[in-house]
Amino acid sequence: GGDAQSASVIEKLRSELEQKEKDMSALKDRLNARDQQYKALLHSSSSSVAGGTVPRSGLQSTRSTRAGTASQGRYVDIQLVGGQGVGKSWLLERLIKECDPSQLRQFEEHRVNLVAQYNLTIEGKPLKMLDCSGQAKAMPVVEGWFAKAKWVVVIYDL
């Protein structure tokens, strides 16, 4: 009786293990497919930026003739870049809270994007800022914006 019962338990565990391995394989396939879709999206976003259009990631095209930004072919005044978690968004949030609190809601809605553009008013003057993710997967998009910014500010943490 004991050997048959042990064999039954072992067979049940093997069957469960086999099913778990199949499930894991299916999950890996889905993950790989989604990763490929994401890479294609990043590539198309990067191509769009390089081609002179604003990517579709919650950003709004806001070319302005004020302060000559459109005539110089620039889309943003300041681009914030740096590693993940160094405080780029925190610094921008502080600036928004102190100088243009009306933009705080938009900031909260878009802070999770790979890149997010904000149109601030500082002392009555327009300022376009781009907050860029420090994630490695965002680099093609972030690099595409370098030529479209008047200033690129690198934020880092020692």
Side-chain angles (χ1 to χ4, degrees):
D3 287 339
Q5 191 177 19
S6 293
S8 174
V9 169
I10 289 172
E11 186 56 37
K12 182 180 175 188
L13 289 173
R14 282 187 179 148
S15 176
E16 287 179 17
L17 178 61
E18 185 177 314
Q19 185 59 44
K20 296 293 182 191
E21 287 174 343
K22 286 179 185 177
D23 292 347
M24 180 66 82
S25 178
L27 284 172
K28 283 182 181 179
D29 290 344
R30 284 180 40 205
L31 180 62
N32 286 335
R34 295 226 172 127
D35 189 48
Q36 291 302 317
Q37 289 174 335
Y38 184 75
K39 286 179 182 177
L41 176 64
L42 274 180
H43 179 71
S44 72
S45 293
S46 177
S47 297
S48 294
V49 170
T53 61
V54 177
R56 297 173 166 254
S57 60
L59 301 181
Q60 300 171 352
S61 178
T62 54
R63 285 191 189 188
S64 170
T65 55
R66 289 185 275 180
T69 54
S71 64
Q72 296 173 4
R74 305 293 185 189
Y75 297 120
V76 295
D77 297 310
I78 298 173
Q79 178 180 2
L80 299 176
V81 298
Q84 190 171 359
V86 297
K88 300 174 298 295
S89 296
W90 182 85
L91 287 171
L92 180 57
E93 182 179 23
R94 293 287 307 232
L95 178 69
I96 291 171
K97 283 180 178 178
E98 291 178 21
C99 298
D100 194 356
S102 67
Q103 296 296 315
L104 198 53
R105 184 172 161 258
Q106 179 191 4
F107 173 78
E108 292 298 331
E109 291 172 359
H110 296 286
R111 75 183 306 164
V112 297
N113 294 349
L114 292 179
V115 292
Q117 184 173 338
Y118 303 99
N119 297 311
L120 307 178
T121 302
I122 309 292
E123 296 181 359
K125 296 181 179 161
L127 180 68
K128 295 178 192 167
M129 298 199 62
L130 190 69
D131 187 17
C132 300
S133 170
Q135 298 177 33
K137 63 186 176 184
M139 285 311 298
V141 176
V142 171
E143 289 172 358
W145 277 96
F146 287 161
K148 296 179 178 2
K150 286 183 180 178
W151 294 90
V152 176
V153 178
V154 179
I155 310 294
Y156 59 94
D157 185 13
L158 297 175

